[in-house]
Amino acid sequence: MALQHSQNFLHSRRLVREMVAASSLSAVDHVYEIGPGRGIITSELARRCRRVDAIEADTALVAELRRRFAGDPHVHIRNGDVLRDRLPRGPFKVFANLPFNRTAAIMRLLFAGRHPPTDAYLILQREAAAKYAGFGRRTLLSTVHEPWYVMEKVRSLARSDFRPRPGVETVLLRVLPRRSPPIPLSARGEFADLVAIGFCGKRKNLQNNLRGLLGRRQFRRLADDLGFHAQTLASGLTSKQWHALFDYVRREVCPRRRAIVAGAFARAGRPTRRGRS
């Protein structure tokens, strides 16, 4: 069967069982699956969860999936583009093997709204996962999402786990919303803009990138108070230091000056491209 979209499918039922069994999914859960392919993950989700909504863009695969799960009332197969789909209204979880070329857009869909999944397990390119979770180093994306989400690598996957084999390393990433975020959700846009200026500014260190917002002496006093070097890079701050920096800017910097950074995250373009991590 010729497929309409390039996809890499898992082929080991044992591996899928292990991953789903190690997740938080249970018999009471409503799970949303993106790109079910031929249904190897869907089948395991159906055995474990109350309801599975699976959305697939490839019409040939949709026909195959509907035949396969025709007798299963727990599984609902939809044909469509996930980016135009309506996410479940009530509490839901996600388990999905994401198409690599749409990872950034799908992550925005799932986690930039006011009603994100209560838990998510995402198979994605290791490089992308590192930028969101900050494996080994803090990134723009990991800093922007960290106040509201805990992201952790559950396991690495081998290229031989897929058919056809992908040309990149792949991991299973868990994304779990925090119960008590250190920054209110209503301030998410402002925080993202501040972080974007810090990471994407043309000048080398954080002090220079923020000089339109904070004066040199003001920044140095703040650095001393928060315990970081005045010449540090944006990636050198801890999560708590970023939260405290943001809190200071909101309290002590006038709205006119804060407007300088408004829209910075959007202007950063695609944050996953080189130099925008």
Side-chain angles (χ1 to χ4, degrees):
M1 177 178 63
L3 302 181
Q4 299 169 344
H5 306 274
S6 176
Q7 294 172 270
N8 302 90
F9 301 116
L10 290 168
H11 61 82
S12 169
R13 296 186 184 278
R14 178 190 58 78
L15 173 61
V16 172
R17 281 196 300 270
E18 288 178 1
M19 291 193 296
V20 174
S23 75
S24 68
L25 298 177
S26 71
V28 301
D29 287 322
H30 178 184
V31 62
Y32 186 74
E33 185 186 8
I34 300 164
R38 293 193 167 94
I40 188 170
I41 295 176
T42 315
S43 180
E44 192 61 33
L45 296 177
R47 279 192 282 270
R48 180 172 290 264
C49 302
R50 172 178 59 84
R51 177 185 173 106
V52 180
D53 282 334
I55 181 164
E56 173 59 57
D58 192 302
T59 54
L61 289 174
V62 167
E64 181 180 325
L65 289 165
R66 285 176 174 167
R67 286 193 297 270
R68 178 173 179 179
F69 295 102
D72 194 331
H74 300 289
V75 179
H76 303 265
I77 306 296
R78 298 208 298 276
N79 183 201
D81 182 346
V82 62
L83 299 180
R84 297 182 180 182
D85 194 41
R86 177 178 293 178
L87 296 176
R89 294 188 177 184
F92 72 102
K93 297 181 180 181
V94 173
F95 202 109
N97 179 13
L98 298 186
F100 296 158
N101 63 342
R102 308 191 83 188
T103 295
I106 293 172
M107 293 292 280
R108 285 194 296 271
L109 172 73
L110 293 176
F111 304 112
R114 290 192 169 274
H115 302 288
T118 58
D119 205 353
Y121 296 84
L122 307 172
I123 298 168
L124 67 165
Q125 185 176 348
R126 188 190 186 285
E127 181 181 2
K131 289 181 178 180
Y132 283 99
F135 301 157
R137 69 181 183 94
R138 182 172 298 279
T139 68
L140 166 60
L141 286 176
S142 68
T143 305
V144 163
H145 290 291
E146 184 276 333
W148 298 279
Y149 299 101
V150 177
M151 300 193 187
E152 60 179 358
K153 183 181 75 171
V154 178
R155 66 184 294 166
S156 296
L157 301 174
R159 298 186 188 191
S160 58
D161 291 329
F162 298 87
R163 292 178 183 159
R165 292 191 180 204
V168 295
E169 299 297 327
T170 307
V171 301
L172 176 63
L173 181 74
R174 185 184 188 187
V175 184
L176 183 67
R178 295 186 184 277
R179 291 186 177 181
S180 301
I183 297 174
L185 189 63
S186 59
R188 181 165 53 187
E190 294 178 68
F191 181 72
D193 286 339
L194 178 66
V195 173
I197 286 291
F199 274 87
C200 301
K202 297 180 180 179
R203 303 172 183 93
K204 185 175 182 180
N205 58 47
L206 184 61
Q207 175 179 284
N208 289 335
N209 284 340
L210 297 182
R211 71 182 185 183
L213 192 65
L214 300 170
R216 186 174 295 272
R217 289 184 180 179
Q218 186 182 27
F219 183 88
R220 288 181 178 273
R221 287 198 302 270
L222 183 60
D224 286 342
D225 290 343
L226 300 184
F228 62 85
H229 194 279
Q231 298 300 313
T232 191
L233 302 179
S235 58
L237 269 64
T238 66
S239 298
K240 289 184 177 180
Q241 288 167 339
W242 267 112
H243 304 164
L245 173 61
F246 177 66
D247 181 64
Y248 177 88
V249 168
R250 292 192 90 196
R251 286 186 293 103
E252 303 297 335
V253 179
C254 69
R256 180 181 59 81
R257 297 190 76 181
R258 292 207 307 271
I260 295 172
V261 304
F265 186 65
R267 291 194 299 272
R270 296 181 179 179
T272 54
R273 73 189 180 199
R274 181 177 235 177
R276 301 285 182 151
S277 62

